[in-house]
Amino acid sequence: MNRFQVKKVAVLGAGVMGAQIAAHLVNVKVPVVLFDLPAKEGPKNGIVTRAIENLKKLKPSPLGVVADADLIGQANYEEHMDQLKDCDLIIEAIAERMDWKLDLYTKIAPFIAPHAIVASNTSGLSITKLSEVLPEAIKPRFCGIHFFNPPRYMTLVELIATPTTEPQILNDLESFVTSGLGKGVVRAKDTPNFIANRIGIAGMLATMKEVENFGLTYDVVDDLTGKRLGRASSGTFRTADVVGLDTMAHVVKTLQDNLSLETDPFYGSFGTPPVLKALIDAGNLGQKAKAGFYKKVGRDILRFDLASGEYVPGGEKADEVYGRMLKRPAAERLKLLRNAEGPQGQFLWAILRNSFHYAAVHLATIAETARDVDQAMRWGFGMKQGPFELWQEAGWLEVAKMVQEDIDAGKALSKAPLPEWVFKGPVAEAGGVHTAQGSWNPTKSEFQARLQLPVYQRQNFPELLLGEAGPKFETAGSTIEENDSIRVWTLDEQVLIASIKTKMHAISPEVCEGLMAAVDLAEREYQGLVIWSGDEPFSAGADLQAMLPAFMAVGVSAIEDAEGFMQQTMLRLRYANVPVVSAVRGLALGGGCELAVYSARRVVHMESYIGLVEVGVGLVPGAGGLTYIARRAAENAEASTGKDLLPFLTEGFTAAAMAKVGTSALESRQLGYVLHSDVIVPHKDELLFVAINEAKALFNGGYRAPHKRLFPVAGRDGKATILGSLINMRDGGFISQHDFHIASLIANVVTGGDVEPGTLVNEDYLMTLERQAFCSLIVHPKTQERILGMLNTGKPVRN
């Protein structure tokens, strides 16, 4: 069987997108070489070198580990064209100029391997026109690939075929981008700006037009069009600032240059908004220029005022009545907005009506199915629902009638009627475009099922759209035991799965009881146990609120009992006679981190955040986290030639004392929470598949639990050294007295307390020190201030 393998990638163009695509390839362990023009002065790779250095400074970081920037190969078109022959995939990502791209293709064509796929990363240029300059042998292996910015964090990648692209080439590329890069792939037709930018930018232009119509300010609009509307929290204008107003203007110009009233009945609303022109003319290009629709001055956020051309105080919020409307069920919500008397409500109805109208009119020309549109808007623009999903949820025909009435009354942006399929035939009968049979394909006039590539068999529970049929993790498989806190179940009768059901998957005594019982059952009847809860987070930590009633009634002894039970749960996982695999996605903080590190193996989504963060609420890790740090330090020291434990302990102590969180699985590996033997998975929906197979592989390999060993600790000498550093930090004003007290308790645990250096201890001994430290803090007034502050505001209190 032939299998397309990507052993090496070339990225052509070291600009913003090219460099960040290269960075993400490094994140997922794909060797990559980054090309650009030879520098006119200095080393020929100077342009690429500067781009890679800039990657190290960007926030949010395009790299899982900043030092990995050095793994990106450097090349220029004058000296290194032969390197292209070794590449299985070539991604061209130079500036959006058709003539420049065509010229580059002519130069690279002789160096492209016979099997290599060539793809252009463009946000809207015609892929078919780009292909025309290529030799006939390469045309079948050429397509468009549109990453969204920033490539590491944005899920969406659009693939665009030309009439000569071989279907298998697109299948191979989709498989690699999905599983290898962790992305959500949508196939778009070769039309200006493809799917997401076509609808998204048209929507932003329409929003700006309606803002003028209703006289609203940008901060109010962002408050209305952010999370309240089920969209990205940055809303409309803050999003534009982040994207870059020059970038937005370029995408708008693509629409203006490649469309007309004949090809797009909404063309009249595609004029460059006056405010966008004014800001660009002033050089206020958004976040990268430190000024756009918004400008930060000190701690104040100012907003641009077009009338005066000045920045004025911002922060105005929407009328709360509309916030309440937006919380209502979809059908009621849309009717309330349509009938609203105030401009904010009328504005919201107008932009939603425009999105329904535009998506329906253009569906047949830009996409195969309605699924492609909704997934593109979810993954590319951070929407909770795509336009067709919301429309369908609110009542398909009822909403369609309201939209058509507005069109007929001249209230819409275009006079174009809704397509006939909206009102008649299968869609109308089904009550929407997404059904159990598939999503609506207006060209074929049928509901079309999802593409069944082998790569999607790795996704047990793919992200479903409203109305689609598919398994749901809450009810899938065979349930063995279930209560309000945990579900223990199996998909294949071979590996047991434990899914935590509490809010934020917090670890309560009931969760611990369920995990203990699951281990017992797995040892009797299964090959392993996977801890996976279906959605984010993995676990935000111990359930402090669940402990408070017992604490208030019984006192600190109740807390000590609860902590002791959590510790025993962690040890039960570690020393289970079958492999326990934690499938980590999202946050694994505090007790969630401890749950992961006490498992036999971790399968971790690339974008997981892992760390011991108890210091933030004035506590210390109390369910074995500090014991883990001490044991790992001893194991690492044993594997080295050094005899001093302290160097191996410093990183773990610092991470716990400073509540450091790994902001990627790669960074968490540096902190010691993810090991080199663990598996890092790029795609979130493949976690369970990989974790189950990891458990089976360990079992079939003759898995045995580790021995319970004694291990050395740093003792009083190590503790004294750490305390010396802490005193300097306290006296220098870098930490508070309470921070110093907490860190001193952490130092006492990880060094083993007042014992001789090298003293051999076991996990139970250190866990006793942990409990004592935890319980001494839970009654401390300053810690109680921190806990109450976090519970009330969700933000850490510094005292």
Side-chain angles (χ1 to χ4, degrees):
M1 180 182 73
N2 290 325
R3 183 165 71 93
F4 177 69
Q5 290 182 290
V6 178
K7 299 184 284 294
K8 186 176 182 180
V9 176
V11 177
L12 312 182
V16 173
M17 285 301 292
Q20 292 199 49
I21 291 168
H24 188 59
L25 287 162
V26 165
N27 290 338
V28 296
K29 296 184 178 180
V30 176
V32 58
V33 57
L34 181 61
F35 278 79
D36 211 301
L37 295 165
K40 294 179 179 178
E41 297 178 359
K44 290 287 181 70
N45 286 338
I47 294 173
V48 174
T49 302
R50 285 191 294 274
I52 292 174
E53 286 302 309
N54 190 52
L55 288 172
K56 300 176 183 180
K57 304 171 189 174
L58 291 179
K59 298 293 180 185
S61 177
L63 294 149
V65 175
V66 171
D68 283 352
D70 297 331
L71 298 176
I72 300 172
Q74 300 186 26
N76 64 77
Y77 304 125
E78 184 179 302
E79 300 176 310
H80 305 119
M81 295 290 262
D82 277 346
Q83 290 191 32
L84 293 174
K85 296 177 181 178
D86 300 326
C87 296
D88 309 291
L89 172 62
I90 298 170
I91 300 174
E92 170 272 305
I94 68 170
E96 294 282 88
R97 282 274 301 267
M98 178 73 72
D99 55 340
W100 290 0
K101 289 177 184 283
L102 296 178
D103 181 60
L104 180 59
Y105 294 173
T106 302
K107 291 176 180 175
I108 67 170
F111 301 94
I112 296 171
H115 71 285
I117 295 176
V118 183
S120 175
N121 181 70
T122 172
S123 59
L125 296 179
S126 168
I127 304 301
T128 301
K129 287 183 179 178
L130 287 171
S131 72
E132 290 172 357
V133 74
L134 290 168
E136 293 301 316
I138 297 176
K139 284 183 179 180
R141 294 179 278 121
F142 178 78
C143 64
I145 183 169
H146 181 207
F147 287 85
F148 272 62
N149 191 22
R152 172 185 166 187
Y153 299 98
M154 296 301 291
T155 301
L156 180 63
V157 170
E158 293 174 316
L159 296 185
I160 310 97
T162 74
T164 56
T165 305
E166 282 188 5
Q168 188 58 44
I169 291 296
L170 226 57
N171 292 346
D172 289 342
L173 190 54
E174 180 164 344
S175 298
F176 169 69
V177 171
T178 300
S179 191
L181 303 186
K183 299 302 174 187
V185 172
V186 166
R187 297 195 184 186
K189 293 185 178 181
D190 191 10
T191 54
N193 289 350
F194 313 127
I195 297 175
N197 272 345
R198 178 71 175 273
I199 290 181
I201 296 301
M204 290 180 83
L205 289 171
T207 298
M208 291 181 185
K209 198 171 186 66
E210 299 294 0
V211 166
E212 294 175 23
N213 292 342
F214 292 101
L216 303 179
T217 60
Y218 308 129
D219 41 9
V220 167
V221 170
D222 279 351
D223 190 36
L224 288 169
T225 60
K227 283 188 175 180
R228 292 175 186 265
L229 202 60
R231 298 182 178 181
S233 58
S234 50
T236 300
F237 296 101
R238 175 64 184 147
T239 297
D241 274 355
V242 171
V243 170
L245 304 191
D246 53 341
T247 301
M248 182 179 173
H250 173 79
V251 179
V252 170
K253 192 171 187 306
T254 303
L255 290 178
Q256 294 168 343
D257 291 348
N258 293 282
L259 295 171
S260 63
L261 271 176
E262 289 70 37
T263 57
D264 192 321
F266 295 80
Y267 189 77
S269 64
F270 288 169
T272 303
V275 64
L276 186 60
K277 184 178 186 306
L279 287 169
I280 291 174
D281 288 347
N284 297 338
L285 304 180
Q287 182 173 275
K288 59 189 172 187
K290 303 190 184 306
F293 286 102
Y294 299 100
K295 181 179 181 180
K296 189 173 184 181
V297 178
R299 294 186 176 183
D300 297 326
I301 304 293
L302 308 181
R303 64 169 169 81
F304 185 69
D305 178 69
L306 180 60
S308 66
E310 302 291 336
Y311 284 90
V312 300
E316 190 178 351
K317 298 294 184 182
D319 190 326
E320 195 48 45
V321 67
Y322 300 108
R324 292 194 293 271
M325 283 185 188
L326 291 174
K327 292 178 180 178
R328 307 299 300 167
E332 184 181 347
R333 183 192 324 155
L334 294 192
K335 288 178 183 175
L336 285 170
L337 293 174
R338 190 183 187 222
N339 296 324
E341 295 182 1
Q344 294 180 24
Q346 294 171 11
F347 162 78
L348 283 169
W349 163 250
I351 64 170
L352 291 171
R353 174 201 66 216
N354 295 340
S355 70
F356 301 150
H357 188 192
Y358 194 85
V361 167
H362 288 294
L363 174 59
T365 57
I366 65 175
E368 289 291 332
T369 71
R371 181 192 308 108
D372 298 322
V373 169
D374 281 346
Q375 284 184 323
M377 299 314 292
R378 276 189 179 202
W379 294 337
F381 278 80
M383 292 185 175
K384 188 176 179 181
Q385 292 179 304
F388 289 120
E389 284 185 282
L390 175 57
W391 182 350
Q392 183 165 328
E393 184 184 10
W396 184 263
L397 285 176
E398 185 69 24
V399 173
K401 289 173 184 174
M402 292 193 295
V403 173
Q404 189 60 54
E405 285 173 5
D406 277 15
I407 296 169
D408 295 339
K411 296 178 180 179
L413 294 177
S414 167
K415 295 179 181 179
L418 291 173
E420 188 176 350
W421 56 261
V422 170
F423 294 101
K424 297 179 181 177
V427 171
E429 293 164 11
V433 292
H434 304 306
T435 69
Q437 293 74 42
S439 293
W440 182 246
N441 181 325
T443 304
K444 295 182 178 179
S445 296
E446 65 182 25
F447 293 109
Q448 186 172 305
R450 285 175 175 244
L451 194 62
Q452 294 299 309
L453 295 178
V455 69
Y456 293 120
Q457 301 309 306
R458 296 169 59 87
Q459 299 182 10
N460 297 98
F461 302 100
E463 186 178 316
L464 297 176
L465 301 176
L466 179 82
E468 279 194 297
K472 296 184 178 179
F473 69 85
E474 296 92 341
T475 54
S478 303
T479 299
I480 311 300
E481 296 286 345
E482 185 171 15
N483 56 39
D484 290 341
S485 299
I486 194 168
R487 179 185 181 221
V488 180
W489 56 292
T490 182
L491 271 176
D492 58 5
E493 306 298 332
Q494 297 178 63
V495 173
L496 205 58
I497 304 167
S499 296
I500 301 171
K501 296 170 55 181
T502 53
K503 185 179 180 180
M504 296 293 284
H505 302 146
I507 303 170
S508 63
E510 292 75 21
V511 169
C512 289
E513 288 176 5
L515 290 173
M516 289 275 217
V519 172
D520 291 342
L521 180 59
E523 287 180 332
R524 292 196 307 269
E525 300 179 25
Y526 294 86
Q527 296 180 13
L529 171 66
V530 169
I531 303 173
W532 176 85
S533 298
D535 53 7
E536 296 186 25
F538 175 71
S539 173
D543 191 346
L544 284 176
Q545 285 181 301
M547 295 183 187
L548 287 178
F551 174 54
M552 299 300 291
V554 181
V556 75
S557 61
I559 298 295
E560 186 167 7
D561 289 344
E563 285 299 301
F565 188 39
M566 283 187 67
Q567 291 175 340
Q568 292 309 306
T569 301
M570 301 305 167
L571 292 176
R572 185 74 180 94
L573 298 178
R574 173 167 166 75
Y575 294 109
N577 290 319
V578 290
V580 177
V581 178
S582 279
V584 179
R585 173 184 165 195
L587 302 176
L589 303 179
C593 175
E594 289 164 322
L595 195 62
V597 299
Y598 276 87
S599 299
R601 190 66 52 88
R602 285 139 296 280
V603 173
V604 188
H605 179 230
M606 176 72 72
E607 298 304 329
S608 298
Y609 282 54
I610 306 176
L612 298 169
V613 297
E614 287 84 351
V615 169
V617 288
L619 294 169
V620 299
L626 300 182
T627 299
Y628 168 80
I629 288 170
R631 176 175 57 76
R632 283 293 299 163
E635 291 169 350
N636 289 335
E638 184 181 15
S640 78
T641 56
K643 298 297 181 184
D644 186 4
L645 266 173
L646 197 57
F648 299 96
L649 192 61
T650 302
E651 184 70 43
F653 164 78
T654 303
M658 303 298 291
K660 287 179 71 174
V661 174
T663 56
S664 70
L666 299 173
E667 198 172 280
S668 295
R669 190 162 61 191
Q670 288 189 319
L671 296 176
Y673 301 136
V674 176
L675 306 182
H676 284 279
S677 56
D678 295 331
V679 182
I680 296 175
V681 179
H683 201 295
K684 61 181 176 58
D685 292 338
E686 293 186 3
L687 266 182
L688 182 59
F689 173 88
V690 176
I692 288 173
N693 280 283
E694 194 70 14
K696 289 179 180 178
L698 288 170
F699 178 86
N700 291 327
Y703 176 80
R704 291 281 183 179
H707 285 291
K708 293 185 178 181
R709 295 179 181 275
L710 297 175
F711 51 88
V713 290
R716 61 175 70 93
D717 290 358
K719 177 181 173 182
T721 301
I722 294 174
L723 287 178
S725 298
L726 292 174
I727 289 168
N728 289 336
M729 293 179 69
R730 180 197 62 194
D731 294 349
F734 297 104
I735 59 175
S736 70
Q737 176 59 37
H738 195 49
D739 290 329
F740 173 79
H741 177 58
I742 297 167
S744 300
L745 291 174
I746 292 174
N748 186 64
V749 177
V750 298
T751 59
D754 190 19
V755 297
E756 287 292 322
T759 298
L760 298 177
V761 302
N762 60 20
E763 288 164 310
D764 288 327
Y765 167 78
L766 290 178
M767 285 183 170
T768 300
L769 295 182
E770 272 191 43
R771 288 199 306 279
Q772 291 171 350
F774 190 94
C775 292
S776 73
L777 286 168
I778 202 79
V779 296
H780 197 294
K782 288 193 177 293
T783 284
Q784 291 179 355
E785 284 178 19
R786 291 191 182 190
I787 292 173
L788 290 173
M790 180 64 76
L791 292 176
N792 291 332
T793 68
K795 297 178 180 179
V797 173
R798 281 286 157 258
N799 55 6

